Amino acid sequence: MAYSFDHCKFLLSGTKKEHFPKEDFPIIVFAGRSNVGKSSLINHLFSKKNLAQTSSTPGKTALINYFLVGEGLFLVDLPGYGFAKKSKKEQDAWGRWISSFIEEKLDKITFAILIDSRHPPFPKDIELIQYLASLGKKPLVVFTKTDKLKGREKKKLKELPDELEGCKTVLYSTKNYSGKKLLINALKDMLENGSH
């Protein structure tokens, strides 16, 4: 099936499966730490300023956000993880209900994990990648904010840590428009040929 990324609209936010759409469409999941730039990337990817709500307070959004891409594909924006203003109990609860969502929808999901290109992957990033590996899934790794890197620093991104070996990677910047076509093509390839 050919997928179009020309149009995207927000559908709903929720935390429970009864909230979510019933259509059996493939799902792209965007996951990453708070403040990694998920909302900005979604807005940039579809050239819509307020499609996904950005916030100056990391971790403010604690809902699963559903978008419809084209006519037969869902994009799901998961709440950011690792935010400092949530208690450990709250973060543990986040992990449980997000895991429940992922495992229920697993056969439909293509994963994209966003990592701030200015820093090595954080423990929570590695934890999520290892968790997906245990489920037989390899995510696409999207390095964000690459406009803030110097040439030497960009080259270092090609030297992936062991935990990221085997993952496809895309360098993305919402400031200088780099990576948009590469990301769309990588997602299409994973949707059409499997994300293992």
Side-chain angles (χ1 to χ4, degrees), residues 8 10 15 30 44 46 48 60 86 148 155:
C8 181
F10 173 75
T15 58
F30 278 10
H44 185 268
F46 296 102
K48 287 191 175 183
K60 186 175 181 182
K86 297 288 185 182
K148 300 180 185 294
K155 285 181 182 177

Side-chain angles (χ1 to χ4, degrees), residues 116-195:
D116 189 327
S117 63
R118 299 169 297 176
H119 309 287
F122 286 89
K124 285 287 185 183
D125 298 319
I126 300 301
E127 185 180 314
L128 179 55
I129 289 167
Q130 290 175 336
Y131 166 63
L132 294 178
S134 75
L135 299 175
K137 290 281 187 175
K138 280 278 187 188
L140 172 67
V141 174
V142 183
F143 288 108
T144 63
K145 306 181 183 183
T146 56
D147 54 284
K148 300 180 185 294
L149 300 181
K150 296 175 182 176
R152 250 180 322 183
E153 293 171 319
K154 279 189 180 179
K155 285 181 182 177
K156 284 184 180 178
L157 291 178
K158 295 181 180 178
E159 302 167 10
L160 298 177
D162 291 344
E163 294 87 353
L164 269 60
E165 283 297 331
C167 295
K168 295 180 182 179
T169 60
V170 171
L171 308 188
Y172 203 104
S173 167
T174 60
K175 301 295 183 186
N176 60 22
Y177 290 86
S178 67
K180 182 172 179 176
K181 286 185 179 178
L182 288 172
L183 177 55
I184 289 173
N185 289 337
L187 290 171
K188 284 183 176 179
D189 180 62
M190 292 174 77
L191 286 163
E192 292 165 8
N193 300 307
S195 56

